[in-house]
Amino acid sequence: MARRLTEADRQVLDRVVRARSGVSASPRSSSARPAGPTDRSRWLDFATLPGHAEQRILRSAAAGLGLRDPYFLVHDADAGATTSIDNRPLINFSSYDYLGFNHSPEVRTAAQNAIDRYGVSASASRLVAGERPIHGALERALAKHYRQGDCVTYVSGHAANVATIAALLGPRDLMLHDALAHNSIVMGAVMARCERRAFPHNDMEALDAALAAVRGQYDRVLVVAEGLYSMDGDVSDLPALIEIKDRHEAWLMIDDAHGLGVLGPSGQGVFEHFGVDPRRVDIWMGTLSKTLAACGGYIAGPETLVDYLKRAAGGFVYSVAMPPAIAAAALAALELLASEPQRVVRLRANARRFHEAGRAAGLDIGLSAGEAIAPVVTGSSLRAVALSQRLFDRGVNVQPIIHPAIPERLARLRFFISSEHTFDQIDAAIRLVGEQLRDLGSTASSATAQADLR
């Protein structure tokens, strides 16, 4: 049975509801201090961290409505188009493995061979302890893919953005980023201590106007956008971004983490999608954890940039090198991307099937451009969690994206479609989503409505 809410719990929940609905709570005096003369010991309790109480109360509220925590599910083995959780087979739409390379014998053999030759870990930073030939081979292949002078790999995609931006910009510089850009891009600007401004999502006129108004106030200006946006599944206007950055003498950085393997007829990424020479982009960022079935991130660009980052980016200099097996797996996957184009053909057919069937079923798939990422907008966090649970119970694994990761009114389920899904699996999932959404609408209780934090 769910724990009953105490009066303190109700006060916290009330503050959460007020904050999300734009209603201000009673202001707290800036001079207010915890009870007690010098009771500093209470701040040693991790439960006093900002947001902890909100997390706890929202979990209690969800549990009171019979909803399970949809996160940190334990898969019994590898997960692809299908998976097994608690020995239950499910159709899986929660993995980034867009082209199924995680299951490729060539990719797995490359990783195993690298372990046999180099061991499991690189054991230290490449700067001070050297590197393995596989690191350079992967970086040369990525640089060639983007027609750039060089490339540097990081052990984390998040760290790749943070460390790169922090190394490039300073207090006299400006970063302009799309309002829906990834957290790592924003955190990079925070680390850089540069001026940071967001422009409305995919609004090129707003970006142009912002640069026209302020470009002269800064030394360096970096414009950052994503190729394929991971929450909405829509595509940036790369030709317009290039034209604007050239005219205003700014750098352009494209985070194409989700575009590689997905966008363009052969999956080369957003530059192929638009038929643009990738050399017209100053900095290419991507990750190895999506299409390339590995882990980590990379920056491809001019030799001068990469040489500088290898000696100045904290996330590279002060971090252990990428495990050789991971580098080998990513390189094998990149080679397969070029040699097995039928995977991209299957992915594009599956993505079209999902979007066409979803629209025919009346689902709200938001801004999605018909590629491998498809949101189904539910309009509230509790509704998204409830729908995810109902689908899970019926054999479909797809995760909810809820507040605060996204505005409450835009809460959703996020489907990742792969080349390995079948039309039957896609059709079954769409049918179940439609059925369960209708059932949720017709059976919503007054308790659910009161707890729906909109």
Side-chain angles (χ1 to χ4, degrees), residues 165 168-169 174-178 181 185 195 197-199 203-204 207-208 210-211 215 220-226 229 236-238 240-246 248-255 281-284:
I165 294 169
L168 292 179
L169 302 179
L174 168 68
M175 187 180 84
L176 281 161
H177 65 87
D178 189 286
I185 293 169
E195 181 74 16
R197 301 189 183 188
F199 58 91
D203 189 335
M204 297 299 101
L207 171 61
D208 191 22
L211 282 167
R215 175 63 185 93
R220 299 176 183 84
V221 174
L222 175 66
V223 177
V224 189
E226 296 183 31
Y229 284 89
S236 65
D237 188 346
L238 183 59
L241 286 165
I242 291 172
E243 190 277 326
I244 291 169
K245 73 95 179 178
D246 283 345
H248 292 285
E249 297 181 300
W251 285 328
L252 175 61
M253 178 175 177
I254 296 295
D255 178 340
V281 173
D282 303 281
I283 306 168
W284 283 101

Side-chain angles (χ1 to χ4, degrees), residues 251-275:
W251 285 328
L252 175 61
M253 178 175 177
I254 296 295
D255 178 340
D256 209 23
H258 289 271
L260 179 65
V262 173
L263 296 178
S266 62
Q268 292 184 53
V270 68
F271 68 87
E272 186 188 31
H273 177 82
F274 285 105

Side-chain angles (χ1 to χ4, degrees), residues 277-296:
D277 184 342
R279 289 171 293 190
R280 298 193 65 191
V281 173
D282 303 281
I283 306 168
W284 283 101
M285 182 272 174
T287 59
L288 307 174
S289 56
K290 281 78 175 178
T291 287
L292 299 186
C295 185

Side-chain angles (χ1 to χ4, degrees), residues 94-99 230 258 289-292 414 416 418:
S94 292
S95 294
Y96 297 143
D97 189 19
Y98 294 123
L99 297 180
S230 61
H258 289 271
S289 56
K290 281 78 175 178
T291 287
L292 299 186
R414 183 172 57 163
F416 294 109
S418 85

Side-chain angles (χ1 to χ4, degrees), residues 109-183:
T109 298
Q112 291 161 357
N113 289 343
I115 289 177
D116 291 341
R117 181 174 181 181
Y118 304 115
V120 175
S121 173
S123 301
S125 165
R126 288 166 62 184
L127 183 71
V128 298
E131 53 190 52
R132 310 301 182 269
I134 194 66
H135 294 125
L138 172 61
E139 289 166 346
R140 287 190 295 274
L142 287 166
K144 181 179 179 181
H145 179 88
Y146 292 101
R147 301 175 212 166
Q148 299 292 329
D150 206 349
C151 177
V152 57
T153 52
Y154 297 76
V155 291
S156 158
H158 193 280
N161 270 332
V162 173
T164 298
I165 294 169
L168 292 179
L169 302 179
R172 297 178 60 177
D173 303 324
L174 168 68
M175 187 180 84
L176 281 161
H177 65 87
D178 189 286
L180 296 188
H182 193 268
N183 167 271

